[in-house]
């Protein structure tokens, strides 16, 4: 834990203040324990913000996949797997295969085929975005808004 000194002295005392790490910001529960349904949405939001704050922190991605799988959140699970694959960028093939194969029961056949096809080809264009992906451009469908019509 980092230590910092206060700005002002009080009666010749120096009191130290702690500065918390940004890795533990707001997430108050260990994710592999039982939580109530009431805490579900808040905790998912906190995990997503952890992923956004530090996209290369692998544990945050694993926690997000585990959380969405545990709560049977189909579309957020698919988005968590897409974000994980984007960050791994072709590395961690055993981890990717394991995550996708173990979450197969909650994914649709098309989602599972898309993810396994990506693992075989490493073609980023195969990973479609949905409204739950946080490390993509946020576009669903084509990025071409206007096309010039040829005569």
């Amino acid at each position: 834990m980092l230590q910092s000194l206060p700005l002002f002295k009080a009666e010749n005392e120096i009191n130290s203040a702690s500065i918390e790490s940004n890795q533990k910001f707001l997430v108050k529960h260990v994710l592999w324990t039982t939580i109530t349904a009431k805490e579900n949405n808040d905790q998912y939001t906190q995990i997503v913000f952890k992923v956004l704050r530090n996209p290369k922190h692998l544990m945050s991605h694993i926690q997000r996949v585990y959380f969405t799988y545990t709560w049977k959140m189909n579309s957020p699970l698919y988005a968590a797997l897409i974000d994980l694959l984007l960050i791994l960028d072709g590395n961690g093939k055993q981890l990717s295969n394991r995550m996708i194969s173990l979450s197969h029961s909650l994914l649709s056949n098309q989602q599972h085929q898309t993810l396994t096809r990506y693992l075989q080809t490493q073609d980023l264009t195969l990973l479609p975005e949905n409204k739950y992906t946080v490390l993509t451009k946020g576009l669903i469908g084509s990025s071409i808004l206007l096309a010039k019509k040829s005569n």
Side-chain angles (χ1 to χ4, degrees):
M1 182 179 301
L2 299 174
Q3 296 290 319
S4 66
L5 299 176
L7 189 57
F8 301 103
K9 290 183 183 180
E11 299 179 26
N12 295 330
E13 285 185 26
I14 298 176
N15 297 324
S16 61
S18 65
I19 300 172
E20 295 296 325
S21 168
N22 67 352
Q23 295 299 326
K24 297 179 182 176
F25 183 69
L26 284 181
V27 178
K28 298 176 183 174
H29 303 283
V30 177
L31 292 179
W32 2 98
T33 60
T34 307
I35 61 173
T36 63
K38 178 184 169 209
E39 298 170 288
N40 180 13
N41 193 34
D42 292 338
Q43 194 140 26
Y44 177 71
T45 304
Q46 291 175 18
I47 295 168
V48 170
F49 282 126
K50 276 181 69 175
V51 169
L52 281 170
R53 243 188 343 272
N54 192 356
K56 301 238 180 216
H57 190 246
L58 188 59
M59 184 55 75
S60 298
H61 287 278
I62 302 299
Q63 288 176 336
R64 184 176 172 208
V65 169
Y66 177 81
F67 187 85
T68 54
Y69 179 81
T70 302
W71 284 93
K72 297 178 178 27
M73 302 165 72
N74 176 283
S75 294
L77 172 63
Y78 183 56
L81 290 169
I82 288 175
D83 288 338
L84 174 66
L85 293 174
L86 288 172
I87 287 302
L88 289 175
D89 193 27
N91 299 317
K93 292 183 183 189
Q94 290 178 339
L95 175 66
S96 303
N97 283 326
R98 185 175 174 97
M99 290 291 182
I100 292 169
S101 65
L102 291 177
S103 58
H104 177 56
S105 62
L106 290 181
L107 298 172
S108 69
N109 286 335
Q110 180 186 7
Q111 290 171 336
H112 186 260
Q113 288 174 357
T114 301
L115 293 173
T116 53
R117 201 173 320 121
Y118 168 78
L119 289 177
Q120 295 166 352
T121 63
Q122 299 297 317
D123 182 11
L124 289 175
T125 60
L126 293 175
L127 293 178
E129 303 162 13
N130 70 12
K131 67 181 182 177
Y132 297 103
T133 55
V134 294
L135 302 177
T136 59
K137 296 176 185 173
L139 299 173
I140 298 174
S142 175
S143 61
I144 300 172
L145 299 178
L146 296 172
K148 186 175 181 179
K149 185 177 181 181
S150 60
N151 293 334

